[in-house]
Amino acid sequence: RNGRFDLLGQRIDLVRGEVSFTGDLSPSLDFLAETQAAEITARIGVSGSARSPEIALSSSPDLPQDEILSRILFQ
């Protein structure tokens, strides 16, 4: 899919994606995706252990995470 997919009608580009195994059965994740949403560039990061991943939202210009999510979902 060339690092591009649609989520709720919003096109999201996968910028970085890495899965590494460090000795146990739970891989380490490092993913970053970007999308243009309602006049911002939103970034969605997923990192940490697959058992308990951490999800972080950021944007340009800087906005609170709830505002970023709102713009991604509802334009």
Side-chain angles (χ1 to χ4, degrees):
R1 309 241 15 198
N2 297 326
R4 186 175 292 165
F5 60 96
D6 289 322
L7 176 67
L8 301 170
Q10 185 73 25
R11 189 179 99 191
I12 299 178
D13 296 311
L14 188 62
V15 175
R16 178 181 70 232
E18 184 177 324
V19 177
S20 14
F21 292 89
T22 57
D24 61 4
L25 295 177
S26 181
S28 216
L29 308 174
D30 182 21
F31 291 95
L32 180 65
E34 282 187 351
T35 187
Q36 299 294 317
E39 302 173 3
I40 66 167
T41 299
R43 287 181 279 306
I44 306 162
V46 179
S47 61
S49 167
R51 288 185 183 151
S52 58
E54 296 179 24
I55 299 171
L57 301 175
S58 61
S59 67
S60 293
D62 288 332
L63 294 172
Q65 289 195 19
D66 59 339
E67 178 71 20
I68 298 167
L69 183 59
S70 174
R71 290 189 187 208
I72 292 171
L73 295 176
F74 306 114
Q75 291 288 322

